[in-house]
Amino acid sequence: MDVVSTIVALDSNHFASGSHDNNIKYWNDSSETCVRTLVGHTGSIKALAAVSDTEIVSGSDDKVIRLWNVSTGKCLREFGSKSSLVFSVTYICEGFFLSCGGNNLKLYHIPSGTCVKSYETPRISLAVVRLDDERFV
């Protein structure tokens, strides 16, 4: 049996789960079935965030952040330097998400795939929470 480490809702009938088998599963809640398995990470999935009803970002122990289309199962983009741990990912606002790992937070622009800002923290940060479109902790 595998251990699920993170879950994110995409709409009222679908959610995605990430687990220690390195895979993400896209589920139909109404029929209680796995619609598709997203394969590509080489480490346990630690974080998921919904970007839209059909796209999610995932963070893994392989130090890679990926953007997925859950309808097709395809990885659309990879983010980051692959040198930092990824403890969490949080959708901030249209076109942006934050990743958290070690003692830094990184703000990524989804369409360009670039890190537009990096924040150093005095302690190891495990999670980021969106308060509104302009604030996060």
Side-chain angles (χ1 to χ4, degrees):
M1 186 166 121
D2 195 38
V3 177
V4 172
S5 55
T6 184
I7 296 174
V8 65
L10 283 105
D11 60 34
S12 61
N13 291 316
H14 296 91
F15 66 94
S17 64
S19 60
H20 288 250
D21 68 356
N22 310 341
N23 296 319
I24 300 163
K25 295 193 184 299
Y26 175 55
W27 299 89
N28 181 313
D29 191 35
S30 299
S31 64
E32 299 180 2
T33 58
C34 176
V35 176
R36 133 180 332 97
T37 300
L38 312 179
V39 179
H41 280 291
T42 59
S44 297
I45 309 301
K46 295 295 186 189
L48 295 173
V51 174
S52 71
D53 287 350
T54 59
E55 293 181 346
I56 60 172
V57 288
S58 61
S60 165
D61 276 348
D62 62 9
K63 301 179 181 176
V64 175
I65 299 169
R66 294 176 184 261
L67 173 67
W68 301 90
N69 181 308
V70 293
S71 297
T72 65
K74 301 228 185 277
C75 176
L76 304 175
R77 182 182 302 275
E78 290 186 2
F79 299 86
S81 63
K82 302 177 186 159
S83 62
S84 300
L85 294 171
V86 181
F87 296 131
S88 71
V89 289
T90 303
Y91 179 69
I92 298 298
C93 60
E94 185 68 32
F96 293 92
F97 74 90
L98 275 169
S99 74
C100 178
N103 67 335
N104 62 55
L105 307 173
K106 293 183 179 180
L107 178 66
Y108 287 96
H109 181 241
I110 297 168
S112 69
T114 59
C115 176
V116 295
K117 185 123 176 131
S118 185
Y119 304 88
E120 294 297 320
T121 61
R123 296 186 173 98
I124 292 177
S125 301
L126 298 177
V128 177
V129 177
R130 176 182 176 211
L131 299 176
D132 57 33
D133 283 348
E134 297 181 9
R135 300 178 304 152
F136 58 90
V137 292

